[in-house]
Amino acid sequence: MSKHLYYVTWHTGSYVELLPVKVDQRTVQYEVEADDEELKHLEKLITTINNKDVMEEHIFVRPFDEDEDEKDKLALKKDVKDLFQVIYKLGTEKTKRYLDEL
């Protein structure tokens, strides 16, 4: 399968987007090269992170449940770590150098 260039774009907060073109220079963008299967996996990880960002039910249903909030934070942290591992694996040399410097 052939690979295509995509940009994993990290917007303000925790909103992540996968785009086929480079956009706004004020956002953090990671270049990755992915085939169809890798693209689906990347999209799934991004969707998972975006769905866990700020959940309305936390505000209205359990605003003071610190144990559940901590579980959610740990789950999000793991998902973000998984995403960065995939970004590094699929990343261009430029992306890998940038992540190595962090």
Side-chain angles (χ1 to χ4, degrees):
M1 280 191 201
S2 65
K3 294 189 177 216
H4 298 281
L5 186 63
Y6 298 94
Y7 296 88
V8 178
T9 305
W10 210 282
H11 296 278
T12 305
S14 298
Y15 182 70
V16 184
E17 191 173 24
L18 184 64
L19 301 169
V21 294
K22 194 168 188 169
V23 292
D24 188 354
Q25 297 298 320
R26 296 171 291 178
T27 58
V28 177
Q29 298 176 328
Y30 303 99
E31 295 178 350
V32 296
E33 295 177 315
D35 61 29
D36 291 342
E37 186 177 318
E38 293 165 333
L39 183 63
K40 287 178 186 175
H41 180 63
L42 196 53
E43 289 172 330
K44 184 178 177 183
L45 284 171
I46 290 170
T47 299
T48 298
I49 289 170
N50 287 339
N51 288 339
K52 288 183 179 179
D53 185 16
V54 176
M55 297 181 206
E56 294 175 6
E57 65 266 19
H58 293 189
I59 298 168
F60 299 109
V61 177
R62 52 182 172 92
F64 303 109
D65 190 341
E66 293 178 13
D67 290 336
E68 286 301 314
D69 287 345
E70 189 61 29
K71 286 180 191 175
D72 291 343
K73 288 177 192 173
L74 290 173
L76 180 59
K77 186 176 180 180
K78 182 196 176 304
D79 292 333
V80 169
K81 181 180 176 184
D82 292 346
L83 176 60
F84 272 102
Q85 288 175 337
V86 172
I87 289 172
Y88 189 87
K89 176 184 171 193
L90 302 177
T92 62
E93 288 303 314
K94 177 182 174 183
T95 296
K96 289 178 181 179
R97 275 194 311 272
Y98 178 78
L99 291 174
D100 286 338
E101 292 175 4
L102 291 180

